[in-house]
Amino acid sequence: MASKDAIEVIEPATEQVMAEVPRAGIEETDAAVERAKRAFPGWRAIAPGERSALLHRLANAIEERADDLATLEARNAGKPISDARGEMGMVVETFRYYAGAPERLTGKTIPVAGGVDMTFREPLGVVGLITPWNFPLTIASWKVAPALAAGNTIVLKPAELTPLTSLELERIALDAGIPEGVLNVVAGPGSVCGQRIVEHPDVATVAFTGSTEVGRGIAEGAAGTIKRVTLELGGKSANVIFADADLAAAASSAPLAVFGNAGQDCCARSRILVERSAMDDFMSELERVVKGITVGDPLSDSTQMGPLISADQLHTVSSYVNGDAPVAIRGSVPDGPGYWFPPTVLAPVSNDARPAREEIFGPVACVIPFDDEDQAIRIANDTIYGLSGSVWTRDGAKAMRAARAIESGVISINSNTSVRVSTPFGGFKQSGVGRELGPDALDAYTEVKNVYYATEE
Ligand code: NDP
């Protein structure tokens, strides 16, 4: 049995302990903030080209370890190894992308009377990063890379369920030449270490990904010291499929747009809105694909979906598929230990029903019929969330009208893509504040300073 000062890290496919790591508390969090504070003047003073070279070295070092990291992530988060390999590729790409940023953080010159006016984008100081268990290292890299590029130092708190790859990143960064104290990882409970980061007077900003409920508390806590916050929160995204779409393409890609990562994805297109006249054709293709999804051992190359992250998550997800739920399609799961839940499609569902309103964060999709474009947009927007979504149609004008009308930060047309390293990602409404990835992410890790230089006697 683990001591109360150790985190037992569980492998969700086997329910076995795969590692024990020391559990951080207030003292360790304060010490990490202190280390980051001391390292800040040195890190910000490193010349842009040199900081860029260090980030490239870090990207190369992660790439060399990518196979090990993918295996660790697949085991700890229960995700298919093929997905984990793709994610490690994205982590490397993210560090390479932001390695270009130190030399591109340009300001403006602004015409004024009596002198010269210019702006600088200054680093904030110590930044606090709080990450979830669904894409542990990937989401950490979306925050760590731009924060380092802009000259900040970091305290990163991964979710207690999945601390392993972030702890590895801390070691890899040191070996790659990132100076001591620049990147500090504290593995401990959110209610202790996370909250301390949020309240700590020496932390300048908090970038958080997780539930809307905890995000709300973070925004409240940050108000005490007027901290900046970036929040990437929940979603209930709509995949809107018009009857004039390429239905085979829409139906064959819809399942993994919800069931990828076992539905534990803030971008999951968990409300599939289908024009009523296309329902029958769509549902039969959907059934064929859902029944063919391979659910099983995360370490097998053919696995498309693994288990849920924990017994608690299994309990929560199960509560949405009770006796009354209109189960239209159900996939299969392996026998034996593991937090398994089959890919499940509920149809037809009213947008007022609980499974259509709440973020389930599991492999449960709701199919909601609609009659025309106006109704589709109304239903898509009838949610507190606004993170992601898709529109499928062969009518280009309708596609653009719908994409502009849907209240969400990310929309794809005839595709279910949500994130790309070079384009901004984030939510409208209660899905969050601020943007990650792409050029916009640097805004969260810099302050604009205006300098006026009088040139006239
Ligand atoms: P949380 O929002 O609780 O966890 C996300 C991160 O926040 C973790 O590192 C957690 O630490 C930390 N945290 C928890 N409480 C606090 C606090 N008071 N102050 C500061 N940090 C805190 O998500 P859950 O793990 O509980 O998942 C619950 C639900 O959240 C899911 O079912 C899903 O609906 C949603 N979710 C959404 C995600 C997204 O990508 N948008 C990601 C994860 C969850 P620790 O876990 O170590 O205690």
Side-chain angles (χ1 to χ4, degrees):
M1 205 168 118
S3 85
K4 95 178 175 3
D5 295 318
I7 301 171
E8 280 190 332
V9 181
I10 307 287
E11 188 167 9
T14 62
E15 303 182 34
Q16 299 296 309
V17 176
M18 65 181 282
E20 281 189 24
V21 297
R23 174 178 279 127
I26 299 280
E27 208 178 303
E28 289 79 8
T29 308
D30 285 352
V33 174
E34 185 54 34
R35 284 196 301 278
K37 192 177 167 184
R38 275 202 309 262
F40 175 59
W43 180 244
R44 78 175 298 183
I46 290 179
E50 207 181 316
R51 204 180 313 136
S52 166
L54 281 167
L55 289 174
H56 274 298
R57 275 178 63 177
L58 176 52
N60 293 344
I62 297 169
E63 192 169 42
E64 276 165 27
R65 293 282 315 283
D67 276 350
D68 301 343
L69 289 167
T71 304
L72 204 55
E73 198 88 304
R75 288 184 63 201
N76 189 185
K79 63 177 71 226
I81 186 71
S82 56
D83 290 0
R85 288 192 192 111
E87 288 172 27
M88 294 312 119
M90 188 184 207
V91 170
V92 172
E93 209 193 317
T94 303
F95 278 99
R96 291 214 170 111
Y97 179 80
Y98 288 107
E103 293 176 300
R104 290 174 178 76
L105 272 177
T106 53
K108 297 180 179 127
T109 53
I110 301 173
V112 288
V116 177
D117 194 280
M118 63 204 112
T119 65
F120 294 88
R121 295 175 74 179
E122 306 283 17
L124 294 159
V126 179
V127 303
L129 312 178
I130 302 176
T131 52
W133 41 260
N134 52 347
F135 297 95
L137 193 60
T138 314
I139 290 178
S141 75
W142 298 354
K143 301 178 194 310
V144 170
L148 289 182
N152 303 282
T153 54
I154 292 172
V155 177
L156 164 65
K157 196 213 84 66
E160 264 206 313
L161 290 169
T162 54
L164 300 179
T165 47
S166 294
L167 288 165
E168 280 302 307
L169 176 68
E170 187 184 38
R171 286 188 274 269
I172 294 170
L174 263 182
D175 291 348
I178 303 291
E180 190 132 11
V182 169
L183 172 57
N184 307 276
V185 177
V186 285
S191 55
V192 180
C193 304
Q195 193 164 331
R196 181 66 184 150
I197 289 170
V198 171
E199 290 170 358
H200 202 298
D202 290 336
V203 175
T205 188
V206 172
F208 167 80
T209 300
S211 60
T212 294
E213 192 188 338
V214 171
R216 191 172 290 119
I218 285 177
E220 281 169 16
T225 47
I226 314 288
K227 270 188 192 58
R228 287 88 186 103
V229 286
T230 307
L231 304 172
E232 296 294 349
L233 309 175
K236 195 72 201 175
S237 297
N239 185 0
V240 181
I241 295 149
F242 288 99
D244 60 3
D246 177 343
L247 284 182
S252 61
S253 67
L256 282 176
V258 197
F259 304 141
N261 215 41
Q264 303 164 121
D265 182 344
C266 47
C267 294
R269 283 141 169 94
S270 52
R271 292 185 301 148
I272 306 175
L273 277 52
V274 182
E275 192 160 0
R276 205 176 297 276
S277 58
M279 271 292 275
D280 290 349
D281 289 349
F282 181 84
M283 289 302 288
S284 57
E285 177 63 8
L286 191 72
E287 175 158 19
R288 190 186 67 73
V289 180
V290 172
K291 292 250 163 96
I293 292 176
T294 311
V295 182
D297 177 6
L299 295 180
S300 158
D301 277 326
S302 57
T303 293
Q304 293 173 289
M305 195 184 111
L308 293 169
I309 187 71
S310 63
D312 280 355
Q313 196 65 12
L314 179 57
H315 177 74
T316 308
V317 173
S318 304
S319 76
Y320 290 90
V321 189
N322 53 26
D324 303 336
V327 176
I329 308 170
R330 235 168 173 198
S332 55
V333 291
D335 296 327
Y339 309 120
W340 306 102
F341 195 90
T344 302
V345 178
L346 307 181
V349 176
S350 153
N351 197 53
D352 297 327
R354 179 172 166 249
R357 301 213 73 75
E358 297 177 8
E359 182 178 49
I360 299 176
F361 231 59
V364 181
C366 296
V367 175
I368 305 171
F370 68 86
D371 293 307
D372 58 27
E373 187 180 331
D374 283 352
Q375 193 188 20
I377 303 300
R378 241 189 348 266
I379 296 172
N381 288 340
D382 182 13
T383 167
I384 60 166
Y385 298 112
L387 190 52
S388 179
S390 301
V391 176
W392 292 79
T393 171
R394 287 192 174 97
D395 177 339
K398 183 159 68 179
M400 281 312 300
R401 278 197 306 273
R404 296 297 304 275
I406 292 174
E407 297 158 349
S408 83
V410 180
I411 282 277
S412 48
I413 297 168
N414 297 336
S415 153
N416 295 315
T417 315
S418 289
V419 288
R420 226 178 270 102
V421 171
S422 57
T423 58
F425 170 67
F428 281 22
K429 305 199 281 189
Q430 294 190 33
S431 285
V433 177
R435 292 294 176 270
E436 300 200 292
L437 298 171
D440 302 66
L442 293 158
D443 293 348
Y445 300 106
T446 50
E447 287 279 27
V448 173
K449 178 183 287 169
N450 192 71
V451 175
Y452 172 68
Y453 197 148
T455 54
E456 287 174 20
E457 300 287 314

